[in-house]
């Protein structure tokens, strides 16, 4: 027959143990839903909220505008909300009228901010005050290089936070395997929607991953990723300092990307991007991550880049930065 739409009990039990141990999640196997990555988790939550009468959801700006199609498909509108140095700014959030918001508090994408303890508490206070929900996208929370990772926001209030993550940054995006921890008051509706959408996640994939977790292989894989990603980040930061004197790398030492702000002499940004592309190097400007086009803070001549490094060897990273410098 068809599997439990929440996922195999064996996998949900193993995931609950992993998330409690590594991310401080209050993890109940009965409230875990195995999903096809974070995108499906967002779709499930937004569709459920829309069915309950919510028409809008707040999103971090800058953030991930590529998810707009997912929100649109569920019939829910996005309300871009600004950030400050501690995370999502609370006054605009309170004034927006939304009752749900999607956040990346462990390592905000793309700015690299780690939400402060005060901001985390304020965000949860807001959720309680509006009888609302925070959807926590913990997309790279396992990877912190200067200290132990901060625990998940969900662990502070599991009834006000839906928590999601996946193996995309630790194994491969193509596996389409992730998890969603839902508050009790949403669980039944989310599971019903999951059953309607796909009748459950493939059982063989789940059984293999469950065994991978139970044997400790996934913990070992995360440690391997941690070492590799840190080495690659260090190589990128050193190469930028060598080839682009005065470049500023911002954000906490975590995750799979950095924000690099180059001195104005390398601008304007449009010309820089064209020349770098001509040299065969793909880079993304921070302005591409904004919901309001052209609303990138800073001077017009500034070159602000979102630079990923997890998929490249240190040697390839150094070569890519050298090619960029040679092009401009």
């Amino acid at each position: 027959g068809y599997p439990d739409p929440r996922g195999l009990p064996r996998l949900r039990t193993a995931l609950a143990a992993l998330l409690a141990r590594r991310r401080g999640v209050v993890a109940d196997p009965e409230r875990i839903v195995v999903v096809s990555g974070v995108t499906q988790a967002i779709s499930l939550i937004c569709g459920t909220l829309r069915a309950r009468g919510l028409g809008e959801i707040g999103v971090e700006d800058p953030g991930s505008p590529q998810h707009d199609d997912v929100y649109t498909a569920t019939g829910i509108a996005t309300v871009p909300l600004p950030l400050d140095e501690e995370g999502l700014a609370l006054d605009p959030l309170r004034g927006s009228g939304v009752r749900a918001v999607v956040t990346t508090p462990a390592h905000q994408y793309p700015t690299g901010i780690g939400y402060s303890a005060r901001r985390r508490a304020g965000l949860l206070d807001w959720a309680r005050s509006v009888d609302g929900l925070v959807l926590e996208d913990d997309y790279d929370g396992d990877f912190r290089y200067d200290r132990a990772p901060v625990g998940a926001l969900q662990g502070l209030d599991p009834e006000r936070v839906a928590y999601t993550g996946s193996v995309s940054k630790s194994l491969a995006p193509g596996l389409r395997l992730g998890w969603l921890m839902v508050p009790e008051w949403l669980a039944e509706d989310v599971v019903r929607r999951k059953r309607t959408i796909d009748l459950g996640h493939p059982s063989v994939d789940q059984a293999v991953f469950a065994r991978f977790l139970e044997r400790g292989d996934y913990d070992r894989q995360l440690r391997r990723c941690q070492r590799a990603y840190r080495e690659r980040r260090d190589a990128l930061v050193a190469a930028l300092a060598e080839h682009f004197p005065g470049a500023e790398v911002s954000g906490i030492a975590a995750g799979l990307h950095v924000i690099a702000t180059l001195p104005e002499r390398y601008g304007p940004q449009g010309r820089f991007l064209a020349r770098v592309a001509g040299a065969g190097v793909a880079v993304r400007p921070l302005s591409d991550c904004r919901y309001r086009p052209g609303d990138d803070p800073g001077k017009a001549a500034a070159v602000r880049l979102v630079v990923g490094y997890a998929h490249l060897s240190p040697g390839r990273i150094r070569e890519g930065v050298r090619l960029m410098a040679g092009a401009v």
Side-chain angles (χ1 to χ4, degrees), residues 251-277:
I252 60 175
L256 289 78
H257 76 281
V258 301
I259 297 297
T261 302
L262 307 185
E264 289 187 17
R265 63 180 178 273
Y266 294 105
Q269 183 165 277
R271 184 181 65 184
F272 175 91
L273 294 172
R275 290 182 175 180
V276 167

Side-chain angles (χ1 to χ4, degrees), residues 18 50 58 76 113 131 171 179 204 221 225-226 230 309:
L18 173 84
R50 186 70 187 93
I76 205 162
I113 296 169
D131 191 23
L171 291 173
W179 44 86
V204 174
Q221 171 68 6
C225 290
Q226 172 88 4
R230 178 172 184 169
Y309 51 81

Side-chain angles (χ1 to χ4, degrees), residues 158-172:
E159 285 305 304
R160 288 298 163 198
V161 181
Y163 173 90
T164 184
S166 77
V167 303
S168 293
K169 307 300 185 290
S170 54
L171 291 173

Side-chain angles (χ1 to χ4, degrees), residues 40-200:
Q40 188 180 51
I42 292 174
S43 177
L44 287 170
I45 289 292
C46 288
T48 300
L49 293 176
R50 186 70 187 93
R52 286 171 169 247
L54 268 71
E56 297 178 327
I57 192 166
V59 293
E60 298 168 324
D61 188 19
S64 300
Q66 65 266 28
H67 284 148
D68 262 2
D69 289 344
V70 180
Y71 300 121
T72 300
T74 62
I76 205 162
T78 54
V79 177
L81 298 168
L83 306 165
D84 60 25
E85 66 279 0
E86 293 187 70
L88 194 68
L90 293 180
D91 285 343
L93 174 62
R94 296 186 186 106
S96 69
V98 301
R99 291 178 50 212
V101 65
V102 183
T103 65
T104 51
H107 183 225
Q108 200 277 330
Y109 183 84
T111 65
I113 296 169
Y115 278 33
S116 68
R118 181 175 64 174
R119 186 56 46 84
R120 287 166 168 252
L123 184 58
L124 293 175
D125 286 344
W126 163 82
R128 297 181 195 112
S129 71
V130 298
D131 191 23
L133 179 74
V134 178
L135 175 54
E136 178 180 14
D137 178 1
D138 198 29
Y139 74 102
D140 65 358
D142 277 300
F143 305 121
R144 183 76 185 255
Y145 312 124
D146 58 346
R147 48 168 286 181
V150 175
L153 183 68
Q154 190 267 4
L156 301 177
D157 194 338
E159 285 305 304
R160 288 298 163 198
V161 181
Y163 173 90
T164 184
S166 77
V167 303
S168 293
K169 307 300 185 290
S170 54
L171 291 173
L175 290 174
R176 308 313 306 136
L177 184 58
W179 44 86
L180 172 63
M181 177 71 66
V182 290
E184 185 175 3
W185 56 276
L186 271 181
E188 185 175 339
D189 288 355
V190 168
V191 172
R192 185 184 303 113
R193 184 168 293 271
K194 170 68 172 168
R195 180 187 292 111
T196 300
I197 288 173
D198 61 14
L199 293 177

Side-chain angles (χ1 to χ4, degrees), residues 38 122 197 201 227 271 306 316:
V38 170
I197 288 173
H201 203 74
R227 291 191 297 270
R271 184 181 65 184
V306 183
R316 292 285 289 167

